[in-house]
Amino acid sequence: MTIRRHFVHVYTTIRIKVAVDAGDHRTAMQAADAVLFEGDHAVRLVPAHPAIIDADYAEEVIEYLVDEAGDQTFERSCCYGSDYAPARVIDRGMA
């Protein structure tokens, strides 16, 4: 078997915390999307190993978690799907 170089594109999901001002959760998610995906990318992925040739956004949103400032107990936190629809209830009994 001949060993040859392979270029592997690995798409992974990363978490980026974005501060936005908005009147509700949906508008907050839309504002965060605008910061991340409109125009020049807001975050640069920098390769740290010589075998990594390139790293970039996959631009795939799996889920959102929206926390509200000042809500120390996360009572108003909610998870949403990529379509901004509520995805699941956060179990606050573990706090």
Side-chain angles (χ1 to χ4, degrees):
M1 175 183 350
T2 303
I3 296 176
R4 297 173 296 190
R5 170 138 336 227
H6 293 77
F7 297 111
V8 180
H9 296 259
V10 180
Y11 292 90
T12 184
T13 301
I14 61 173
R15 181 186 66 82
I16 302 169
K17 186 175 182 179
V18 182
V20 297
D21 295 320
D24 57 41
H25 285 191
R26 180 190 263 304
T27 306
M29 289 182 285
Q30 291 169 333
D33 280 350
V35 168
L36 291 175
F37 301 123
E38 290 180 4
D40 195 25
H41 290 305
V43 174
R44 301 270 183 224
L45 303 176
V46 180
H49 187 282
I52 305 299
I53 296 166
D54 188 28
D56 203 351
Y57 282 98
E59 294 190 25
E60 178 182 5
V61 175
I62 304 301
E63 183 178 52
Y64 296 95
L65 168 61
V66 180
D67 290 325
E68 294 184 18
D71 181 18
Q72 299 298 322
T73 59
F74 306 104
E75 290 294 319
R76 294 184 306 273
S77 296
C78 190
C79 292
Y80 299 88
S82 61
D83 59 354
Y84 309 130
R88 61 186 167 92
V89 175
I90 298 171
D91 182 6
R92 292 178 183 82
M94 303 300 284

